[in-house]
Amino acid sequence: MQRFENAKEAALALRPDDPVYCFRPEVLKADCRQFMDMFPGKTAYAVKTNGENMVLKTLVEAGVTAFDAASPGEFAAVRAVSADAEMLYMHPVKAQSDIRLALEKYGIRVIALDHEDEITKLTRVVRALDIDPGTITVFVRIQTKGSAAYELSKKFGAGPAYAVELAERLNRNGYKVGLCFHVGSQIQDPDTYERALASADWVRNRVSFDIAGLDVGGGFPADYGSDPNSKKPEMPSIGQIMSRLRGDLKEYGFDEMPLVAEPGRVIVARAFSLIVRVLLRKGRRIYINDGIWASLSDSWTGKLALPARFIPDPAIRSRNGSEKNIVPFKVCGATCDSVDILSRPFWLPETIDTGDWIEIGHIGAYSLSLRTRFNGFYPDTFVEVTTPFEAGDAPEGLASMETMAAE
Ligand SMILES: *Cc1c(COP(=O)(O)O)cnc(C)c1O
């Protein structure tokens, strides 16, 4: 992989017409270690956030020994970087053949579920493979209510009373039983984890045995840069969220048992930025070489404001306006699909023109993992960058903001 100081240097050297992902392994390691230092338990990185080989490999180098993997593809991706990393199979709804693969081929012994039919599937596999259920920890996923950029609690989770039933049944069948929840992604309300802990506490107090551990899931917010026009309160920092969580864990008496977290976004968001090119400027509209079918679907559906830096093409000699004047541009994506228009503008210097580049920061989570080959476009160029996105000149703009429409 080619290495550059920063994205501007990469853009001016390569003059890329295709999108270029700028990978910052040192930032990834630092953010990962920061999380592991703050969380009082095991850190299992959620592979779906960004399962690139370079990411998983770097995380292993940073000291990650456990991964939350949800599918055969993710099991293989983890095994490709580590022969002995532990995998936690935390997807509540699974194909029986995938459960068998997890237990038989990958030696997975930690699994989550939220329904009795999943116990039936699991037990069929456990009996067929003649595994002692006492070697398996089953986490019962509890339904939670919260406020996150992505609410995932509507899709999965057992109500507290049903969770008690599932836990008792698992215990009778000889499994070790833990409790887990996942509050959604990019949580915005610091009370979110406490509400989930209160549900877990309710369940724990009603089961007839000691639970084997608690998994608090993911959802920890990445620090994306703030939208100066937003009236929303400032997002709590990861430090604030974590000290609150540690206090709450203690208060509910969960601090004496094995704890697990499954962070994704908070670990990998800052590790990548993306250089895109302006293929055409048409008034207050720009057509870029990426879009909702490639790297930009998450910032779009999650209403995230990503920081953006203008990289002017020095070959453009004459420009109109002032580089200091930051204005909204409607952004059209690379494909011929008319849906491929971002619902929110990018805020950029009014001087931007056909041929310039934009570096979009903090795009490591749910960007390249969600790209498609639609219309023949598939961004797949990577460079390594040594300087963190925040270093150097402050980014001038924002990619995607929810407060104003471009037109
Ligand atoms: C997606 C997911 C995660 C990671 O969520 P982040 O918000 O990226 O931290 C963790 N656990 C489960 C079960 C998930 O589905």
Side-chain angles (χ1 to χ4, degrees), residues 35 44-49 68 70 90-92 112 141 150 152 156 180-187 193 215-221 261-268 365-366:
F35 187 92
Y45 172 72
V47 176
K48 80 168 188 288
T49 318
D68 162 16
M90 302 306 285
H91 196 318
R141 177 133 160 200
Y150 292 89
L152 294 184
F156 297 120
C180 71
F181 50 77
H182 177 55
V183 294
S185 203
Q186 189 69 9
I187 64 146
Y193 289 106
D215 182 333
V216 301
F220 303 92
E262 305 158 1
R265 186 188 293 279
V266 68
I267 285 186
V268 79
Y366 307 108

Side-chain angles (χ1 to χ4, degrees), residues 94 96 99-100 103 111 113 115-133 136 138 166 169-175:
K94 300 165 285 297
Q96 185 161 315
I99 298 174
R100 181 167 183 132
L103 269 56
I111 201 160
L113 52 77
H115 194 273
E116 61 207 74
D117 289 356
E118 292 290 319
I119 302 181
T120 307
K121 283 188 228 171
L122 173 64
T123 300
R124 255 189 235 131
V125 175
V126 164
R127 290 203 180 126
L129 297 176
D130 199 21
I131 295 171
D132 170 9
I136 300 178
V138 183
L166 292 174
R169 181 153 160 191
L170 286 162
N171 181 55
R172 277 198 306 277
N173 290 348
Y175 297 102

